[in-house]
Amino acid sequence: MDKFVIRGGNPLVGTIRVSGAKNSALPSMAAAILTEDEVILENIPQVRDIETERRLLTSMGAQIFQGEVAGDAPNSISISFRTLSDPVAKYEIVKTMRASSLVLGPLIARAGMARVAMPGGCAIGGRPIDLHIKGLEKMGATITQEHGYLEARAERLKGVHLVFDRITVTGTEDLLMAAVLAEGETLMENCAREPEVADLAALLTAMGAKIEGAGTSTIRVRGVSRLRGARYRINPDRIEAGTFLVAGAITGGDLIVTNCNASHLGAVIAKLEEAGARVEILGPDTVRVRGGKLRAANISTEEYPGFPTDMQAQYMALATQAEGLSTVEENIFENRFMHAQELARMGANIKVEGRTATVRGPAALSAAAVMCSDLRASASLVLAALVADGESILDRVYHIDRGYERIEEKLAGVGAQIRRMGNVFAPRNDETNAD
Ligand code: EPZ
């Protein structure tokens, strides 16, 4: 099993580049189901979840070419669903990545039927997809559950007025993809406003969809009978960018984070400044962070544009180095403090009560062998190890490979003492469902 070996103590200095957004790439790849034409996506991160999505779409009949093969930019991908031979998302694939359920809406919209394995439990919470199902049923799909699979059918989905019971990112994306080929108009309210939703809508619009209001809580879609192919460049990854900003602040370094979208980082930058880091926006795609005397600041995770839950673990690592008591409130997922125990093993002073953790700092962290449990928890352990005294061993880093493109090389490029033991893309068969 791959491990990271990290020796702490070096301030990170230099320029670090952000890859494309995993959480934009996944729905955008699923959107290719909606047309028989070729869809070319640029700025696709080379991470494990993209590999899984590729396997999923190929298993349903897609022809997929990675950039170079298609004589295109390296991080581009060409997807063609001339035929949708098998509208089934198999359990073997879905169990390794919940976002596989994003094919449900597009499959029903394109083929009038879908068989999608139910995503099981997850390290960070129950994460049901009841709101996806409820919305699709309202649009006229009949959905039954048998042998761990959702069986869905619909002649043609109908435009409806939908109000989400609670804000859901992939729920909004799934229903949006269902609505673009539906008969008539769909009005969706209480939608997620995450930049990834607006990114998907921009791709769908390039494919000929009629969408208004993406990025706000009210989205209006006028269904069309057919979508065409398109070429589209997805957003940079705001969570990877946020992780690097925290890395610069926690190590007392001077980092320039490039190829990001500064306007997507408002809540993270504001919190880092409140905690004593110096942050400068050098341009629309470049942010500089310099360490400073870190002081306690509280966070409470919210839907966008609030403080992202996907930055909570990384922020907790920073709070272990801040003067005073920080409270960390997790409002999106019911079990997203797995990293707290591992940080405590390194000497952090953290108390967890329900959805609130209190972190007393600064703590002198000492290196230890720690276990990664999910994608963002792994990132927080990397950050803690960068400031711990001695050499830490991080186990099960396959979790971090799911959403960070060669993070050890990027961090080593700005002075981190980090190396990988093992092979990035070694085939795995025991990967459990997280994120
Ligand atoms: C997306 O997950 C992201 N994943 C997650 O990123 C991110 O943490 C999350 O949004 C919140 O920002 C992708 O985009 C692939 P939700 P998603 O539906 O869409 C409950 C990462 O680290 N809910 O917005 O699955 C749910 O249980 C990952 O990159 C229902 O109850 O999250 C949760 O408590 C982790 N029923 C809340 O809503 C539903 O049908 C928000 O979940 C759907 C969701």
Side-chain angles (χ1 to χ4, degrees), residues 198-430:
D199 211 15
L200 172 65
L203 164 65
L204 293 169
T205 303
M207 294 167 69
K210 307 268 180 255
I211 303 169
E212 290 159 22
T216 76
S217 50
T218 303
I219 302 177
R220 196 181 289 278
V221 183
R222 263 180 301 112
V224 296
S225 55
R226 185 182 179 282
L227 290 177
R228 57 176 181 267
R231 172 184 283 274
Y232 184 76
R233 183 179 178 78
I234 65 162
N235 276 347
D237 196 313
R238 63 191 170 95
I239 305 298
E240 185 190 17
T243 304
F244 291 153
L245 290 176
V246 173
I250 199 174
T251 60
D254 183 349
L255 264 192
I256 294 186
V257 179
T258 61
N259 193 47
C260 65
N261 184 326
S263 69
H264 293 165
L265 295 164
V268 174
I269 291 174
K271 196 50 69 175
L272 284 174
E273 288 177 326
E274 192 187 331
R278 285 166 294 156
V279 185
E280 265 173 282
I281 296 182
L282 302 181
D285 63 356
T286 307
V287 180
R288 180 182 185 185
V289 60
R290 280 173 288 171
K293 183 148 179 33
L294 295 176
R295 53 180 178 268
N298 304 331
I299 63 163
S300 161
T301 64
E302 309 291 341
E303 292 88 1
Y304 191 86
F307 191 91
T309 173
D310 294 348
M311 282 298 301
Q312 177 258 99
Q314 299 91 313
Y315 185 81
M316 188 185 282
L318 182 103
T320 68
Q321 301 307 296
E323 183 75 40
L325 197 67
S326 310
T327 61
V328 174
E329 213 180 304
E330 175 53 57
N331 299 308
I332 306 296
F333 294 109
E334 60 273 25
N335 181 35
R336 202 169 201 181
F337 285 143
M338 300 284 276
H339 41 283
Q341 292 103 319
E342 296 299 311
L343 291 171
R345 295 184 79 264
M346 300 173 84
N349 180 339
I350 305 173
K351 281 195 191 36
V352 174
E353 274 153 36
R355 290 197 179 206
T356 303
T358 42
V359 185
R360 181 172 291 288
L365 299 184
S366 60
V370 288
M371 182 82 78
C372 300
S373 55
D374 63 76
L375 171 58
R376 308 305 171 183
S378 324
S380 84
L381 298 181
V382 168
L383 295 169
L386 289 173
V387 293
D389 172 29
E391 201 165 74
S392 298
I393 310 276
L394 275 63
D395 202 348
R396 297 190 176 187
V397 294
Y398 67 81
H399 283 293
I400 208 166
D401 291 331
R402 301 187 55 159
Y404 290 88
E405 184 176 319
R406 297 182 180 275
I407 191 169
E408 77 279 14
E409 290 173 20
K410 291 189 180 185
L411 290 173
V414 289
Q417 293 186 75
I418 177 171
R419 69 182 196 280
R420 175 186 293 267
M421 283 156 60
N423 169 5
V424 181
F425 284 128
R428 310 197 49 79
N429 49 21
D430 67 341

Side-chain angles (χ1 to χ4, degrees), residues 29 32 38-39 50-67 69-70 76-81:
M29 290 171 72
E38 180 186 30
V39 172
I50 298 304
E51 261 320 293
T52 307
E53 183 81 3
R54 213 174 125 99
R55 271 194 299 128
L56 174 66
L57 300 182
T58 306
S59 74
M60 296 194 285
Q63 282 206 304
I64 302 187
F65 297 105
Q66 195 67 31
V69 185
S76 66
I77 197 168
S78 148
I79 307 172
S80 302
F81 262 106

